[in-house]
Amino acid sequence: MSKSRTIVLIAILTLGAVSAFTQDQGDPTLTEVWKPEPSIIIPGVSSGPPSDAVILFDGTDLSAWQARNGGAPPWEVSDGVLTVLPDTGDIMTKQGFSDVQLHVEWRTPAIVTGEGQDRGNSGIYLMSRYELQVLDSYENRTYSNGQAGSIYKQHIPLVNASRAPGAWQTYDIIFMAPRFRAGGTVPQPATMTVFHNGVLIQNHVALRGTSVFIGEAEYEAHGSKEPLLLQEHDHPVSYRNIWVREL
Ligand code: MG
């Protein structure tokens, strides 16, 4: 390169640097957002509840729950564990919830009986309507949109992260309630994100409506807060450490 060309190149580079420097001038605090200040909370140990969670079951009692048709919840609490009593019906929280972060630990029976949907079946119904399937899906094939971690008959889990029967498993769920407009339209469907044993299995999927066994799901307008429901499906599935954070 000739000497004059080198000088021109240096001049161009210098001008560029100066203009970039000029662009960086200004007040960086203009883009700082200080309010609201996120609340300071104490995270739980392992999967224990954080300090701002609503505790739904801590192993001691079912005071947060009732039978589906009212009255005392008919399931069994023993040794810090809640277990479905077959043929007694579903249970649901007394409190209603809308958008939530929900943590649930569950365990299907160590003694395996049945197959497909007839093995360790229960379910977590957000707003009493939208089922995240609980099932023994460890070496137990069933329809993919009905296995553990499926949003029943709507969304297949991304992977099968099931542990063996008798082992405790976790669901961490982010659920956003649907919004309804007068006239029955649904401008914003419900969405769910789910981690199964810490693994992402549902990534912000949109629900098509109320979970149904037969036919296509569709929305039916409901209240902005509805109880969380646990399904009794003939099998003695157990639960522990259930907590929720309203969003
Ligand atoms: Mg079920």
Side-chain angles (χ1 to χ4, degrees):
M1 198 179 282
S2 74
K3 198 177 175 189
S4 59
R5 274 185 147 192
T6 307
I7 288 165
V8 169
L9 186 61
I10 287 169
I12 288 169
L13 286 172
T14 307
L15 276 172
V18 166
S19 92
F21 182 75
T22 310
Q23 246 174 31
D24 283 345
Q25 296 305 293
D27 185 359
T29 65
L30 291 176
T31 45
E32 294 177 0
V33 179
W34 287 71
K35 293 275 179 186
E37 179 184 2
S39 306
I40 296 165
I41 62 143
I42 303 156
V45 176
S46 180
S47 53
S51 60
D52 64 344
V54 174
I55 310 298
L56 295 176
F57 180 66
D58 68 358
T60 54
D61 67 81
L62 288 178
S63 54
W65 298 83
Q66 59 186 359
R68 187 176 194 135
N69 301 318
W75 298 3
E76 199 175 80
V77 176
S78 156
D79 294 331
V81 173
L82 167 65
T83 301
V84 176
L85 257 185
D87 296 323
T88 60
D90 307 326
I91 67 169
M92 61 186 199
T93 56
K94 293 173 183 169
Q95 191 179 337
F97 299 97
S98 179
D99 305 333
V100 291
Q101 173 187 351
L102 172 66
H103 176 87
V104 178
E105 298 181 19
W106 54 277
R107 181 181 68 185
T108 61
I111 297 165
V112 170
T113 59
E115 59 182 88
Q117 293 288 305
D118 190 30
R119 183 187 296 185
N121 194 334
S122 182
I124 296 161
Y125 282 70
L126 283 298
M127 303 194 93
S128 308
R129 286 168 177 80
Y130 309 108
E131 184 185 16
L132 173 62
Q133 176 70 300
V134 169
L135 194 78
D136 176 358
S137 283
Y138 185 84
E139 298 177 355
N140 177 40
R141 187 80 177 109
T142 184
Y143 40 94
S144 302
N145 65 356
Q147 69 181 64
S150 65
I151 299 179
Y152 189 73
K153 297 260 176 100
Q154 297 193 34
H155 293 285
I156 296 167
L158 294 169
V159 292
N160 181 349
S162 297
R163 293 199 170 112
W168 283 103
Q169 313 203 47
T170 60
Y171 277 155
D172 287 282
I173 302 156
I174 299 162
F175 174 81
M176 299 300 287
R179 267 53 173 183
F180 299 103
R181 210 174 265 150
T185 56
V186 189
Q188 196 179 311
T191 60
M192 241 195 268
T193 296
V194 182
F195 293 83
H196 182 189
N197 297 324
V199 178
L200 182 70
I201 57 162
Q202 298 287 355
N203 187 6
H204 194 66
V205 293
L207 277 63
R208 297 196 294 272
T210 302
S211 299
V212 286
F213 181 46
I214 297 167
E216 292 300 321
E218 50 185 80
Y219 279 104
E220 257 177 59
H222 54 72
S224 60
K225 293 192 174 202
E226 297 285 349
L228 174 72
L229 182 146
L230 298 179
Q231 181 192 42
E232 180 269 303
H233 198 291
D234 295 333
H235 303 144
V237 172
S238 297
Y239 290 94
R240 69 177 185 190
N241 195 18
I242 306 173
W243 53 261
V244 67
R245 294 179 65 248
E246 294 185 89
L247 303 177

